[in-house]
Amino acid sequence: MGQIEWAMWANEQAIISGWVMLTGGIIGLTGFNRLYIAAYSVAAGIFIILLEYPRGKRKKGHTIERRYQKYMTQVIHACGAITSNYYIRFVLHLLLCVPAVFQLPTILGALGLFIASIIYFVAAFHGEKWQPVGISTQGATSSSNQTVITQPPSQPPPRAPAHARPKRPSQPTEGDPTIL
């Protein structure tokens, strides 16, 4: 059984909490008391959505990027340790959720953000760190490990592993019996 990647769950929890805070803040602006908390929740929700929109690179497997993630990934990656350290995200989300608890429409987003901050603490405790998906963090050495597919497969599935397949000549010869 594999190890849980806590940061992936915290990212999903935080982005949904950001949307809920944004929606609760907009509802709070329509007639509830304490409009300053509603305006804060709108601003905090937008900030959380922008911070959490780029998914981090998974340790194993394939990371599916969100649409237009590459633009925000560059911004988040440029901020350095402030955005890649999960202890900092834990404290940031914990502090951002406190004012939103004091107005009814924003409580649900604040509680979701509190849960996301706890999950980020668990991720940081397990040694996880945010890595960008589309940006090479190790320089030119990581590009040599990439497999580049230049042609479509020549056999229909199921295929034998590449090392077990018989080698085919690239150009058939005149006396080849396989030419029809």
Side-chain angles (χ1 to χ4, degrees), residues 22-42:
L22 176 65
T23 305
I26 292 170
I27 292 170
L29 288 173
T30 62
F32 284 83
N33 294 334
R34 301 181 186 146
L35 292 178
Y36 55 92
I37 293 177
Y40 166 80
S41 296
V42 168

Side-chain angles (χ1 to χ4, degrees), residues 1-178:
M1 189 161 177
Q3 186 177 359
I4 295 175
E5 292 186 37
W6 292 100
M8 178 181 66
W9 295 104
N11 177 266
E12 296 296 328
Q13 178 73 28
I15 198 165
I16 293 299
S17 299
W19 282 109
V20 172
M21 266 181 88
L22 176 65
T23 305
I26 292 170
I27 292 170
L29 288 173
T30 62
F32 284 83
N33 294 334
R34 301 181 186 146
L35 292 178
Y36 55 92
I37 293 177
Y40 166 80
S41 296
V42 168
I46 291 171
F47 174 73
I48 292 165
I49 291 167
L50 292 176
L51 176 67
E52 297 294 334
Y53 191 72
R55 284 186 176 136
K57 191 174 194 178
R58 296 182 64 190
K59 289 182 181 179
K60 291 169 53 174
H62 180 69
T63 304
I64 299 173
E65 292 185 12
R66 290 188 173 109
R67 182 176 289 173
Y68 307 116
Q69 171 179 331
K70 59 184 173 184
Y71 305 112
M72 279 307 296
T73 301
Q74 294 172 355
V75 173
I76 300 298
H77 181 63
C79 292
I82 295 173
T83 55
S84 65
N85 189 341
Y86 288 145
Y87 284 115
I88 294 174
R89 284 196 187 191
F90 157 69
V91 171
L92 178 69
H93 289 332
L94 192 62
L95 293 176
L96 285 174
C97 77
V98 172
V101 174
F102 296 107
Q103 190 179 33
L104 183 62
T106 60
I107 287 177
L108 188 59
L111 291 177
L113 198 60
F114 176 74
I115 292 169
S117 70
I118 297 300
I119 299 172
Y120 269 130
F121 178 75
V122 173
F125 184 75
H126 285 286
E128 296 181 34
K129 185 179 177 185
W130 188 82
Q131 297 290 329
V133 175
I135 300 171
S136 176
T137 57
Q138 298 174 357
T141 59
S142 65
S143 63
S144 63
N145 297 335
Q146 303 274 336
T147 303
V148 179
I149 299 173
T150 57
Q151 295 179 354
S154 59
Q155 293 179 339
R159 296 178 196 91
H163 61 83
R165 283 187 232 150
K167 303 289 183 198
R168 292 186 178 180
S170 59
Q171 295 293 330
T173 59
E174 184 93 15
D176 193 0
T178 60

